[in-house]
Amino acid sequence: MNKINDIKLIIVGDGPLRNYVLSYSRKLKNITYVGKTDTPEIFYNCCDVLLFYTKFEERSRVIPEALGCGMTILSTPTNDLILLKDRYKDIPILFIPYEPSKIAKFILRNVNKLKEIKMGRKQYIIKEQDSRYVRKQIIKVYKNILKI
């Protein structure tokens, strides 16, 4: 199991627990509280995993933004995410229980695996967004339409 010192927690966003989280983050070196930001993609790109812990939030922008940056999502199950995962089987969303101790154990046991998943996703996104690759795919579509 990894040591807690190997993990850095960055908390982005705001909510009713803001003061508690801010106070707690000041006590520990490996927790950084960012708060609300207009540029969350900066954090998506430098992190290995997004932990989305919610019981009520549906239709969040956080999930598509993080997936677009190649992140692996650890999330409590919400209706939207369950439907998304059912529709797109290979989407990197792992459902976690509502119990913080179980979430912590899962992360600590799987840190390296989660990093590997993110690197694979990033390579996939880089390939899929490369202009040469996209151009070849568009040409294939036109050839199929024109039956060339």
Side-chain angles (χ1 to χ4, degrees), residues 10 43 53 62 66 79 87 100 116 145:
I10 301 172
F43 301 99
Y53 186 88
V62 171
N79 290 334
R87 185 168 182 191
E116 287 172 23
I145 290 171

Side-chain angles (χ1 to χ4, degrees), residues 36-75:
K36 188 175 180 179
T37 179
D38 292 331
T39 55
E41 64 279 359
I42 292 169
F43 301 99
Y44 298 145
N45 285 313
C46 72
C47 295
D48 295 315
V49 175
L50 173 77
L51 175 60
F52 189 70
Y53 186 88
T54 184
K55 288 188 178 182
F56 308 108
E57 190 171 352
E58 299 283 340
R59 307 232 183 253
S60 173
R61 285 188 354 218
V62 171
I63 300 300
E65 289 171 348
L67 289 171
C69 292
M71 296 206 66
T72 298
I73 313 290
L74 297 181
S75 178

Side-chain angles (χ1 to χ4, degrees), residues 13-103:
D14 228 344
L17 298 176
R18 179 188 185 282
N19 290 335
Y20 173 77
V21 171
L22 186 57
S23 168
Y24 197 74
S25 69
R26 289 180 181 147
K27 295 176 187 176
L28 297 171
K29 292 179 188 175
N30 55 344
I31 296 179
T32 301
Y33 177 74
V34 174
K36 188 175 180 179
T37 179
D38 292 331
T39 55
E41 64 279 359
I42 292 169
F43 301 99
Y44 298 145
N45 285 313
C46 72
C47 295
D48 295 315
V49 175
L50 173 77
L51 175 60
F52 189 70
Y53 186 88
T54 184
K55 288 188 178 182
F56 308 108
E57 190 171 352
E58 299 283 340
R59 307 232 183 253
S60 173
R61 285 188 354 218
V62 171
I63 300 300
E65 289 171 348
L67 289 171
C69 292
M71 296 206 66
T72 298
I73 313 290
L74 297 181
S75 178
T76 48
T78 65
N79 290 334
D80 280 358
L81 292 182
I82 291 168
L83 291 172
L84 187 66
K85 184 73 175 160
D86 283 346
R87 185 168 182 191
Y88 303 102
K89 304 288 185 215
D90 64 340
I91 201 164
I93 297 176
L94 305 172
F95 292 119
I96 53 176
Y98 288 104
E99 298 174 48
S101 64
K102 288 184 179 179
I103 296 168

